[in-house]
Amino acid sequence: PKRDWSSDVCSSDLEDVTGINQTLDLWSGTVTSEYLLANAPVKVVVACDPARDVLAIRIESPLVSGGRLGVRLVVPRGHDVKTKNNPALDFSAPESHSTKIVAQNERLLLFDHVRDESHYFGAVFGASPLNAQWNGEHEFRLSVTDGNVLELTVGFSLGRARALPGTAEVFSSSRREWEKLWQSGGAIDF
């Protein structure tokens, strides 16, 4: 059954978000966003694994406690791979593709996504037990019930499921590779 989450999460109206500050740290490859949501502080840090299709996310806020603030993961139909210049992802035809949960435990969610001949796996790995809810189609809501920190990795792979690294490993790998890049070269545009 399809689930409507509109009543059990914080509002996502832009006027509820204030005090926005976002920083890109070129030495670590991390983006840190800090803001107030409904007058509560939120800090989000993200990094991408340099060798795999994996993103690490760390959210710190009193809103995380009790699942009031979490991550909404929506799997789009995708786009026609023959179209150049990365066109916008298509969310308009949910019936034209399928997303199914393959495995789930307290820290791992593994799902299968199929569209035409394209087939890939997605996975979410939590640093602590996750509350992963599925709306029955292509949308997941990820949260924790205890603590003020939500930390997870999200990854995708073609053809078969692959093990996901934890957030600490992704943040460390990102830092190591970006430092190596800047110490061995780089580019400056004047």
Side-chain angles (χ1 to χ4, degrees):
K2 189 170 181 175
R3 178 172 173 154
D4 177 16
W5 289 313
S6 60
S7 64
D8 56 332
V9 296
C10 284
S11 170
S12 59
D13 292 335
L14 287 179
E15 59 265 7
D16 291 339
V17 180
T18 60
I20 300 168
N21 182 33
Q22 191 171 61
T23 306
L24 168 61
D25 181 344
L26 292 173
W27 281 95
S28 66
T30 57
V31 176
T32 301
S33 303
E34 295 179 276
Y35 51 90
L36 296 173
L37 175 60
N39 294 318
V42 177
K43 180 179 181 181
V44 180
V45 183
V46 297
C48 189
D49 189 279
R52 298 168 276 203
D53 293 327
V54 177
L55 182 67
I57 304 165
R58 178 181 171 86
I59 302 172
E60 300 173 44
S61 175
L63 297 173
V64 169
S65 180
R68 291 189 58 217
L69 178 63
V71 172
R72 179 176 164 239
L73 175 64
V74 182
V75 183
R77 180 178 188 277
H79 58 80
D80 183 351
V81 294
K82 296 174 195 147
T83 304
K84 295 184 181 195
N85 299 324
N86 295 323
L89 297 173
D90 184 359
F91 292 93
S92 68
E95 70 286 347
S96 67
H97 57 115
S98 68
T99 303
K100 295 182 180 150
I101 295 175
V102 175
Q104 184 174 1
N105 63 35
E106 70 175 9
R107 292 182 55 198
L108 176 70
L109 170 67
L110 178 64
F111 60 91
D112 179 54
H113 185 257
V114 178
R115 180 198 135 205
D116 302 327
E117 293 83 39
S118 299
H119 180 218
Y120 65 87
F121 286 93
V124 178
F125 180 68
S128 61
L130 288 173
N131 178 16
Q133 299 172 333
W134 182 41
N135 78 343
E137 288 186 343
H138 308 290
E139 186 174 336
F140 300 92
R141 176 155 164 34
L142 309 161
S143 62
V144 294
T145 53
D146 294 323
N148 291 337
V149 176
L150 170 58
E151 208 170 59
L152 53 87
T153 52
V154 179
F156 296 91
S157 59
L158 288 172
R160 66 183 180 93
R162 300 184 192 278
L164 279 182
T167 53
E169 183 180 338
V170 173
F171 284 121
S172 176
S173 296
S174 178
R175 174 177 294 284
R176 187 175 48 254
E177 291 301 313
W178 280 100
E179 284 179 2
K180 187 166 60 173
L181 171 75
W182 296 121
Q183 290 174 352
S184 66
I188 298 176
D189 187 301
F190 290 104

